[in-house]
Amino acid sequence: MVRVLFLGGLGRSGTTLLERVLGCLPGVCTLGEVVHLWRRDLLDNERCGCGRPFSACDFWREVGDRAFGGWHRVDPHHVLRLQDRVERTRHIPKLAGRTCDNQVREYADQYARVYAAAAAVTGARVVIDSSKHASLAYCLRHAPDIDLRVAHVVRDARGVAYSWTKTVTRPESDGRETMTRYSPSRAALLWSAHNAAFGLLGARGTAVRRFRYEEFVADPRGTSLAIAAFAGLDLPADALDFLAEGADGVVHADLPATHSAAGNPMRFRTGPVEVRADDTWRTALPPNQRRLVAAIAAPLHGAYGYPITGRRT
């Protein structure tokens, strides 16, 4: 059985930065957003986090050999068809049940094979998947070979909504494509739906613990230790030495290259990276949109400790 730490929540909640920091801990292997591996990597041969095309990455080649006897033995179109049939937000009520059908088990097994192979290749005790999709986490709970732990990452809905309005180029496409954009109201609705789904997942018996982005950037060491403990990692005293506080009081993380399958453009950054709050939304998101997002997200906003006003949390 392979232990998987699944980073869940809505995109633009700081999960890429969190994953990069956690990936520096001993005994951890980060894979990025594995949910996109079947299309973006196997079909489109996009770049791995190490910078090489997926097909030319030695790490992923070895993972494919161990998991399936080679990637040529995987039919990505079949996996994507399974994904369309079972891994959808509308299927969560059904996936939340005690039993599942054969298609869910087959779909979850594809991931279990990848996780187990990655753990074997790296010797990691914990594999991190930052796919975020609640529907995927619900599928994975039905895989008998996965010890699933879900770190539910939340961020102030107004910050998330503002981030979804920005135009961000996907580096993998060499400037040809940009990441998906949503209006503030659409982002607020998605924020509410996705985060509520993870609350239900915990109520169904899966190990789920909530972590706030704002607390992570304020105390990256403390949050990293808390998540490591949740994942069952016993860390040595020097495990967090890669986090250093600068003269300005800002913590910097010295990040190595990773083999992330997909994700935010930050997955390509290496070297010292500031771990600090991105609160541009406080001035860049118009007041009427801030109020709209806060109103839509109000029920969970309050439960997560976010005030309706714009004061800092």
Side-chain angles (χ1 to χ4, degrees):
M1 181 173 289
V2 59
R3 181 169 299 170
V4 176
L5 179 65
F6 187 92
L7 302 187
L10 183 62
R12 313 299 177 90
S13 296
T15 51
T16 302
L17 176 60
L18 176 60
E19 181 191 28
R20 295 297 309 277
V21 170
L22 295 175
C24 295
L25 299 176
V28 172
C29 169
T30 59
L31 300 180
E33 299 177 7
V34 185
V35 69
H36 298 301
L37 179 145
W38 319 105
R39 181 177 303 281
R40 295 183 184 176
D41 298 308
L42 291 183
L43 290 179
D44 297 341
N45 196 33
E46 292 188 351
R47 280 190 285 152
C48 167
C50 69
R52 306 183 71 183
F54 179 82
S55 62
C57 176
D58 293 336
F59 168 79
W60 282 110
R61 183 182 297 117
E62 189 170 355
V63 168
D65 288 344
R66 284 178 175 267
F68 304 103
W71 291 114
H72 64 281
R73 301 189 62 168
V74 178
D75 181 357
H77 295 286
H78 175 65
V79 179
L80 289 170
R81 285 193 294 270
L82 287 174
Q83 189 177 77
D84 286 338
R85 292 169 186 164
V86 305
E87 199 235 298
R88 285 289 180 265
T89 301
R90 64 178 179 272
H91 295 321
I92 285 179
K94 180 179 179 181
L95 293 169
R98 293 182 180 275
T99 60
C100 66
D101 60 30
N102 291 333
Q103 289 187 326
V104 174
R105 281 190 287 269
E106 181 185 359
Y107 180 65
D109 181 63
Q110 306 301 305
Y111 290 84
R113 288 169 176 251
V114 172
Y115 299 148
V121 169
T122 62
R125 290 174 288 159
V126 174
V127 173
I128 297 181
D129 181 351
S130 62
S131 291
K132 291 182 280 296
H133 294 191
S135 50
L136 175 55
Y138 275 86
C139 291
L140 296 178
R141 70 189 285 264
H142 293 291
D145 298 328
I146 296 177
D147 174 7
L148 183 63
R149 316 282 177 96
V150 177
H152 176 201
V153 183
V154 299
R155 180 187 179 190
D156 190 304
R158 291 160 292 193
V160 174
Y162 171 67
S163 184
W164 279 108
T165 66
K166 295 190 294 186
T167 300
V168 180
T169 300
R170 295 185 63 238
E172 304 93 325
S173 67
D174 296 322
R176 297 187 305 272
E177 300 176 8
T178 58
M179 298 181 71
T180 302
R181 298 175 64 197
Y182 293 124
S183 69
S185 58
R186 174 65 173 165
L189 290 169
L190 291 172
W191 184 93
S192 299
H194 282 255
N195 287 317
F198 282 103
L200 176 61
L201 181 64
R204 288 295 182 269
T206 299
V208 179
R209 186 169 300 178
R210 187 182 308 123
F211 298 92
R212 297 204 320 171
Y213 160 80
E214 292 80 5
E215 293 171 346
F216 166 62
V217 293
D219 182 14
R221 292 185 182 86
T223 303
S224 297
L225 287 172
I227 297 178
F230 172 62
L233 286 171
D234 185 15
L235 300 177
D238 62 350
L240 296 174
D241 284 356
F242 65 93
L243 292 172
E245 186 171 320
D248 57 358
V250 177
V251 173
H252 294 71
D254 190 10
L255 303 179
T258 66
H259 294 288
S260 57
N264 187 287
M266 189 201 166
R267 69 193 182 97
F268 293 106
R269 292 188 61 182
T270 59
V273 173
E274 290 185 344
V275 183
R276 66 189 311 167
D278 178 3
D279 56 2
T280 311
W281 65 269
R282 295 181 182 277
T283 55
L285 189 65
N288 63 322
Q289 293 184 355
R290 291 203 301 269
R291 290 191 292 269
L292 174 62
V293 172
I296 294 173
L300 290 181
H301 237 209
Y304 297 161
Y306 295 114
I308 298 300
T309 64
R311 68 179 182 273
R312 295 187 180 275
T313 55

